[in-house]
Amino acid sequence: MSFIVGGKSIKNRLFVGTGKLPDYSILKRIYEELNIEVFAVAVRRINPEKGKGYSVLDFLPKEAVIMINTSGARNYKEAVKIAMIGREITNSDWIKIEISGELKYLLPDNEETLKAAEILVKEGFKVFPYIFPDLVLAKKLEDIGVSAVMPLGSPIGSNKGIDCELLLKAIINEINIPVIIDAGIGRPSHAAKAMELGADAVLINTAIATSPDPFSMTKAFSMAVSAGRLAYEIGLPKEQEHASPSSPLTDLIRGETK
Amino acid sequence: MIEEVLKEADKILKERNQKTSIENFLFKEKLSPYELLILLLDDNDENLYLMAEVSKKITERYFGKVINLFTPLYLSNYCTCGCSYCGFSMENRNLKRIKLNEEEILKELKTIKSFGIDSILLLTGCDMINTPFEYILSGVKIAKDMFSEVAVEVYSLKEEEYKILAQNGLTGVTQYQETYNKEVYDKLHPYGPKRDYYYRLYTQERALKGGVKEVTLGVLLGLNDPIEDVFKMILHAEYLMKKFPNAEINVSFPRFRPAGTNFKESFKITDKMMLRFIFSARIYLKNVGIPLSTRENSKFRDALIGYGITKMSAGSKTCVGGYSKEYYSGNQFENEDKRSVEEIIEVIKRKGYRPEFTNWVKGVVA
């Protein structure tokens, strides 16, 4: 069930965002008990100067994979700068490019994201662009050499689930790098659906962070992700308009025996 | 133009007797200004509980379980305005006027930094002679080396000046209109640079055009009919959000507090009214930031954690030089919540929220 992304073999296809969590102390537990390996961390949430225990880095196990997030960046220049600072602080070269085009729906600015990706790939980062699901852009990003693309399922924090299935499927089917669905996934069933579509992983933040029990909710998501992936690998049955025979008797009843 | 928005607001305000059940629209993704006004006017306690719950859900969606902390630093209390409600007013002859020099600013900032704070708001009175633009610029330059977020609450500046400040590390601008009612505004601001209502009204736009990433609007509740002021401020914020979709916009609801003057507020603002204003802003503008200052008492502030507010000031002193205690000058207003930063952190955690100090990467803006 594991897959290779950013030069690493990752077993758990549930990635967890840390930005909205009420308490970072949960991170160690979900790493150890639920085997979550990848954590998205906003550089603006890291405060390297204090060392007073409020930096998210103080709570992440050393072995965890840190995906640095450029959230807060408004253009490619800021994203590149944040990425550089982030690498310096965390020692991780996994960069999620997140450039907000506007703040109400937090939709990404695809144009600026492409520019940032071009620079960061050249700078040797493992680049994970958060994008509006646009196949043409995804292909350009693939050509540049990003490690994966991260199209949104629906706007960040909206809990609307996979709201642009057609566009996501086009990306999943047409590009050859991992696709990680990021944003909008509110329920474990949404995550399972993303995996059934063939996504390689999902990234969840709001749904876990704002749950009354973030640990158990992470567990629920992790199970759903595994279930969805397993079903995808086995091959899901096609949907049909009419009932299809499931019993040998049906043939008899219909009089279609030889 | 914001004037058109305010004119439209006046028209809607004239129809304020209109009664509709708030449940008809509370859960809509986008409310109309008419519906906003109904929320502001509603006086049913049951509805207030409902508004609180909706506010909580929206706040969690947009901001998570996080409260950002910041601290204000008063650089100077020199002022050339005669605003009758303010402790810094030129009319306040009892006030000892003080201006921190660079060394003193650094000392104050170091003290605040030692609390763990990473977001600073620099304030001055309205005096372009004693605290000229260059003085504000030097304050920003000193602060940006120590803090991720540096905001100013000073007199209205030109776009070009905001641009220079932004290039030198300024991330935010706070400017209170005090009241949106022009007549009342004119009466309360008899002289000084603050007298120009329209120049002040466009401050946030000039700042955003100049490149700051965050602005805060505010009205001083108690000066005028609060419904009118809050209604217009929320519409002003919405107008800015539409015009600058990439900017972070905050709305603030300070209540008038005694400030060493004889001024008596014209409208008494109850806790219930404050709650309704905050919830209405949250429900109408889902992603607006809402700071809550130490003007409010600790009980009120604690109760609001999770229900709409996104930021809290902590450990605030409203007199110049108040942190390193070199000086004691008169306050701009009296603080109600006098707890230390550590105590505020404890309360936030106890409520199941995470105190956050950084919302921006230092050095990225400049």
Side-chain angles (χ1 to χ4, degrees), chain A residues 66-82:
Chain A
I66 295 174
M67 180 190 275
I68 304 161
N69 186 348
T70 68
S71 69
R74 294 168 298 173
N75 53 50
Y76 81 95
K77 283 185 187 161
E78 288 181 3
V80 168
K81 206 163 176 183
I82 293 172

Side-chain angles (χ1 to χ4, degrees), chain A residues 154-181:
Chain A
S154 51
I156 291 180
S158 67
N159 296 333
K160 301 251 187 219
I162 306 299
D163 218 14
C164 33
E165 184 175 332
L166 196 68
L167 305 178
L168 291 170
K169 276 200 90 156
I171 294 175
I172 290 166
N173 292 341
E174 300 303 323
I175 69 168
N176 300 309
I177 50 173
V179 177
I180 301 159
I181 297 185

Side-chain angles (χ1 to χ4, degrees), chain A residues 4-120:
Chain A
I4 306 281
V5 63
K8 286 189 162 77
S9 174
I10 301 294
K11 284 194 206 79
N12 196 323
R13 291 168 183 264
L14 171 62
F15 296 3
V16 172
T18 56
K20 294 178 176 175
L21 279 171
D23 182 358
Y24 290 141
S25 61
I26 183 188
L27 294 173
K28 192 164 177 271
R29 206 176 150 214
I30 66 173
Y31 174 82
E32 284 172 356
E33 293 179 36
L34 304 176
N35 304 313
I36 303 293
E37 298 157 87
V38 181
F39 296 89
V41 171
V43 178
R44 62 176 171 170
R45 295 294 190 227
I46 303 170
N47 204 340
E49 295 161 28
K50 278 196 282 289
K52 284 187 177 172
Y54 292 114
S55 170
V56 60
L57 295 181
D58 299 338
F59 295 86
L60 280 172
K62 282 195 179 59
E63 302 77 18
V65 179
I66 295 174
M67 180 190 275
I68 304 161
N69 186 348
T70 68
S71 69
R74 294 168 298 173
N75 53 50
Y76 81 95
K77 283 185 187 161
E78 288 181 3
V80 168
K81 206 163 176 183
I82 293 172
M84 300 288 184
I85 295 169
R87 181 163 65 179
E88 199 67 30
I89 303 171
T90 63
N91 229 358
S92 168
D93 59 359
W94 280 36
I95 289 286
K96 173 182 164 185
I97 303 176
E98 183 176 327
I99 303 176
S100 296
E102 54 79 55
L103 294 179
K104 187 167 183 195
Y105 297 94
L106 292 169
L107 295 177
D109 185 330
N110 279 359
E111 219 177 303
E112 293 288 312
T113 303
L114 182 62
K115 285 186 206 161
E118 278 172 333
I119 296 168
L120 292 173

